[in-house]
Amino acid sequence: QVQLVESGGGSVQAGGSLRLSCEASGRTFSVEHMGWFRQAPGKEREFVAGIVSNSIFTYYSDSVKGRFTISRDNAKNTVYLQMNRLKPEDTAVYYCAVLHYWNPSSRATGIYWGQGTQVTVSS
């Protein structure tokens, strides 16, 4: 089992920035591929960013590419999502997840999930 705890969500105006954090416990974090997903009301969950265990490879959805940056600190068992130039359409609940396997596409799946953190971007 693994426990994931997200933090850093909140409300921001369009054009602003937020940094999400996700701290993991219960497994060897350094060998896990990690990802961030989001789900807006009435929409399916979307895989927005992923990072392999040693940070060599990352993935971003087209909707966030160039604005969001995923990173991790294996010494702190933490993965981050830096979100810049936020748009109202980025409003969603953001979830951290341990990825089932490395699949840098919209079809990536998670096997362990955090509780989610709300991000609200106003225009």
Side-chain angles (χ1 to χ4, degrees):
Q1 274 289 0
V2 64
Q3 293 76 45
L4 302 171
V5 179
E6 300 105 333
S7 60
S11 297
V12 65
Q13 289 192 328
S17 298
L18 285 173
R19 188 195 197 202
L20 305 183
S21 299
C22 172
E23 185 172 358
S25 61
R27 281 167 68 105
T28 307
F29 176 79
S30 61
V31 303
E32 304 288 2
H33 304 324
M34 300 296 296
W36 287 95
F37 296 74
R38 68 185 182 187
Q39 188 164 21
K43 294 188 176 181
E44 292 187 355
R45 188 171 292 185
E46 175 189 11
F47 179 49
V48 296
I51 187 167
V52 296
S53 58
N54 61 6
S55 301
I56 289 179
F57 298 113
T58 57
Y59 165 85
Y60 299 96
S61 67
D62 287 343
S63 59
V64 307
K65 196 174 296 181
R67 300 187 297 121
F68 290 11
T69 303
I70 189 170
S71 62
R72 64 191 294 162
D73 185 339
N74 286 347
K76 296 182 178 179
N77 287 354
T78 301
V79 61
Y80 306 96
L81 186 67
Q82 178 67 44
M83 305 185 295
N84 298 328
R85 304 200 315 271
L86 283 160
K87 304 176 181 180
E89 50 263 45
D90 294 319
T91 295
V93 178
Y94 283 71
Y95 298 90
C96 167
V98 174
L99 298 180
H100 189 200
Y101 56 92
W102 182 243
N103 179 12
S105 76
S106 61
R107 295 183 296 277
T109 56
I111 52 173
Y112 297 105
W113 298 86
Q115 81 286 354
T117 186
Q118 177 71 46
V119 171
T120 302
V121 185
S122 58
S123 57

